[in-house]
Every structure is written in structure tokens, then in C-alpha cells.
Amino acid sequence: MRFPTNSKILYSIVGARPQFIKSKPLHRAILSDPYLDSNTTLQEFLIHTNQHSRADMSDAFFKELDLPPPLHTLPQASPNLTPLKHIAFMFAKLKEFCQIQRPDYIVVYGDTNSTLAGALCAHSLKIPLIHIEAGLRSGDLSMPEERNRILTDQLSTLLFCPTPSAYACLKQEQRPGQKIYHSGDVMLDNVGYFAPKAYPPKAPFEPTKKPFIFATLHRAGNIDNKDNLQSILNALECLAQNMPLFLALHPRTQRALTQYGLSFKNVSLLPPLSYLETLYMLTHARLVLTDSGGLQKEACFLETPVLVMRENSEYPELLEMGGAILVGAHADLITSKAQELLTKGQASFANMNHFGKGASALHILQAIKEHACYLGSSG
């Protein structure tokens, strides 16, 4: 493919479920910008690292979110690679492609291994790097996601922070040449746009007015630790005796359950859900239990209380307002806080404006255009 010489080219690096979702608002903003067209100023292309390659974790999201096919999809890596070797594999393949068709910017989202691979590629080729969802910190360096965030932020040129705390963090860490923005959260853009389109999962879930609990579980600190996984399983089983509880089962969690010989009896298991199915569950659940970074805030955006099955959170704003509560992998704490929220219902969702007003992608696009104009005038 030949790119128009008067266009600035963005490569958005995606590869895992959260990134497909997070890439949609910027893609939608670019398409709807009245000052952009296919021949001038700015063009975006998706590059798929194949980190998630299963159809229900990848292809389904492109279709549901109406994302264009990737310009390039990396070959699938060996499942036997360690995380570090997988990052190295993706980095090498991304660099190889970007040397052939060099973009003006590389855009990465969040904190996955694909994010770090894209950041390393941009740094290696001296391509300006844009990090969307920058500046988040849990304070836990044992989490791969935390290490990915920190390294990606250090290598970035334009950093877009979803919250005031993320912005404050990056202002303290700021390196020469970086531009830092409090853009708001692109996931709030998504929730506002897609929540009205949400639909229920297929069986075994049956839409009903009966109250239910929704849970997800996938963090390495929980599923790679048998004691933590057993403790969470015990808590979910206990809660499921009194109210229907649906767990969307991540493939990694399924493998861990099989490895440790664990199983559920009372909990109803769902396959990996699409984004619109997930939004339906978050909207209609009485309570959400998750160790996901994204779901804890999406639940709060939809004013559903959430118990975060971790010892820390990247979103102190959610904890301060009371919409989210940290419970770790402690069965007694999970069950007691769940019962408290279910009976008293005293969750607070004030000050959600910390995350913007649902137009974050437009702010991000404007900043990118201004930087592109600056580069053009200084070049």
C-alpha cells in the first residue's frame, strides 16, 4: 500500500480484547472529523499483534465494534513462549513491518504486552509514540500491567491521562519532549455510545428481572496462585447460594481451574462475552466482582457497585467515591462486603466527571492534529 504524501499516518497497535474496545472511540472520532478525509491530514490503520487470536477474543470484537480489518496482522506466536519472549517476538515483527511501511505515529492503549511491544518498536525506530490511558499506577510492581504502563509512559511523546491522579503522576515523572494531557477516559465515550445497544448473553444466561451478581476473573495474581483462586472460588460459591451469580470465564482462568483440579457448583459459567454482552451484564447486575482494571470503572460509569478482587487499584477516584471497594482474594471480606452492598446499597457515584464528559477521543484527536501541524511546520 502507498500512503498519500500529504497525510500523517497513525498505526494503532491492538492485540488483546481491551485494546480493540479502547481503539474504537479514536477511530470513530477520526471518521467523523469534518476536517479530515481519506486524502488529507490524518489516516489511521490498525495493526493486530495477535496476542488474543481466538475468534471470541478477537474477530468477534472487530465485527461487533465495526472496526476495519487490520492493515497488518502479526503471525501467531508459539503458545510456549514466556511473556518476555512473546513481547520480544511482537516487537521484532512490528519493527519489521514498520520499517517497510513507516507511520508518522504509533498509538498504543492501556497496559498489555502488545502495548509494551508497540512502545519498544516506536522507540527503536524513533517514531513518536502516543499512549492512551497513560499515567495509571497501582503501586504494585509484581503486576505485569504495572511494569508495562511505566515503561510505555517513559517512551511516549504524547500521553493522554484518563484521570486527575494519572495526570498528576505523569507531571511528576515528565521527561523532556513529552506532552501530557488530562483527556478523560475513552471508555466513558464507549459506555455512552454502546450501552443503549447492549444485549444479553446467550444461554445459560436467561434475561430475567431476578437480581443477579456478575463476576470476571483473569489477573495472574489470582489465577496463577492456587490459594487465591481457591479463596475467590469459595466466596463466589457462597454468594451464589443466595443470589444467581454469573462468571464470564476467561480462557486463562479455565486453564488454571483445570490445572488445580478446581470447579464450581453453584456459580453459573458463561463463555467469554462480547463487549455489548458485557455492558448488558454490568448494567443489569446488582453487584459486580472483578479483578479487571477496565470493568471496575465501567461498572461505576453505569452506577453498579463493584468489588475489586485485588489489593490495589489504578483508579483511586473510584475508591474515594465509594463506588468500588478493594477486597483482594479474601473470601470472608468478599462475602461480607458483598452482603453489605446488596442489603444496604450504599455505593456512591459522585464526581464521575474526573473521567471526563464522554468526549475524550475528540480531545485526543485535536491534540494529535496540533502536534502533527507542529511537526509539519518545524520539519
Side-chain angles (χ1 to χ4, degrees), residues 18 70 95 123 139 141 201 211 215 221 227 230 232 239 260 274 279 284 306 313 316 340 345 362-363 372 375:
K95 183 177 179 181
H123 179 70
L141 282 172
D227 291 339
Q230 179 72 74
I232 291 172
L239 292 171
Y260 298 133
S274 74
L279 285 180
H284 294 278
V306 57
S313 172
E340 184 179 322
L362 294 176
H363 297 304
L375 287 186

Side-chain angles (χ1 to χ4, degrees), residues 214-218 246-251 253 268-273 278:
F214 177 55
T216 75
L217 179 66
H218 77 281
F246 296 91
L247 172 67
L249 195 60
H250 193 284
T253 309
S268 298
L269 300 179
L270 299 173
L273 301 182
T278 300

Side-chain angles (χ1 to χ4, degrees), residues 5-313:
T5 55
N6 58 337
S7 291
K8 294 293 183 184
I9 304 301
L10 277 68
Y11 280 177
S12 286
I13 308 298
V14 298
R17 177 189 188 276
Q19 294 163 319
F20 307 140
I21 300 168
K22 291 170 188 173
S23 70
K24 179 60 181 181
L26 180 60
H27 177 73
R28 190 168 62 244
I30 291 172
L31 290 182
S32 64
D33 190 329
Y35 300 105
L36 298 176
D37 61 44
S38 60
N39 296 313
T40 60
T41 310
L42 195 65
Q43 286 186 280
E44 182 211 23
F45 299 92
L46 299 180
I47 310 299
H48 192 344
T49 69
N50 238 336
Q51 182 177 333
H52 283 171
S53 55
R54 280 179 35 161
D56 57 358
M57 299 289 283
S58 176
D59 296 350
F61 288 89
F62 278 83
K63 181 179 180 181
E64 183 177 75
L65 298 172
D66 193 26
L67 288 168
L71 175 65
H72 182 63
T73 299
L74 271 57
Q76 191 170 347
S78 166
N80 299 320
L81 291 181
T82 64
L84 188 57
K85 288 183 177 179
H86 191 195
I87 292 170
F89 173 84
M90 291 187 289
F91 159 69
K93 295 298 181 181
L94 286 171
K95 183 177 179 181
E96 180 181 323
F97 179 72
C98 289
Q99 285 176 312
I100 297 171
Q101 295 183 298
R102 184 184 178 92
D104 297 285
Y105 292 93
I106 285 178
V107 186
V108 293
Y109 302 84
D111 53 25
T112 70
N113 289 345
S114 294
T115 301
L116 181 55
L120 292 170
C121 173
H123 179 70
S124 175
L125 296 177
K126 296 182 172 54
I127 296 170
L129 178 66
I130 299 168
H131 188 196
I132 294 175
E133 208 175 68
L136 299 174
R137 299 290 184 268
S138 69
D140 182 1
L141 282 172
S142 71
M143 293 173 57
E145 296 87 353
E146 183 79 348
R147 301 192 296 271
N148 290 348
R149 293 180 198 121
I150 292 171
L151 291 170
T152 299
D153 284 342
Q154 290 178 342
L155 300 176
S156 296
T157 305
L158 304 181
L159 300 106
F160 295 100
C161 306
T163 63
S165 62
Y167 179 81
C169 173
L170 283 186
K171 292 303 285 187
Q172 288 184 334
E173 299 176 2
Q174 188 168 10
R175 299 163 67 90
Q178 291 187 322
K179 291 185 175 294
I180 301 169
Y181 304 84
H182 175 207
S183 61
D185 199 312
V186 292
M187 291 306 291
L188 183 58
D189 297 22
N190 264 343
V191 168
Y193 184 82
F194 284 110
K197 308 173 189 291
Y199 55 83
K202 301 179 178 64
F205 178 80
E206 295 293 338
T208 174
K209 294 182 178 179
K210 191 174 182 179
F212 65 89
I213 299 169
F214 177 55
T216 75
L217 179 66
H218 77 281
R219 292 279 178 178
N222 284 330
I223 66 171
D224 293 344
N225 182 312
K226 183 178 180 181
D227 291 339
N228 285 355
L229 186 56
Q230 179 72 74
S231 181
I232 291 172
L233 186 152
N234 291 343
L236 298 184
E237 285 287 289
C238 179
L239 292 171
Q241 292 180 29
N242 300 311
M243 182 178 290
L245 191 153
F246 296 91
L247 172 67
L249 195 60
H250 193 284
R252 292 183 62 228
T253 309
Q254 177 64 76
R255 290 195 293 270
L257 291 170
T258 302
Q259 177 185 346
Y260 298 133
L262 302 175
S263 61
F264 291 98
K265 295 180 181 178
N266 300 312
V267 172
S268 298
L269 300 179
L270 299 173
L273 301 182
S274 74
Y275 180 55
L276 295 184
E277 290 172 330
T278 300
L279 285 180
Y280 179 94
M281 300 299 282
L282 294 175
T283 301
H284 294 278
R286 280 284 305 279
L287 177 67
V288 172
L289 290 86
T290 187
D291 57 6
S292 164
L295 259 66
Q296 61 182 282
K297 62 183 177 182
E298 289 173 298
C300 289
F301 293 161
L302 294 163
E303 299 192 354
T304 302
V306 57
L307 296 183
V308 183
M309 296 184 292
R310 288 166 43 189
E311 302 293 340
N312 47 63
S313 172

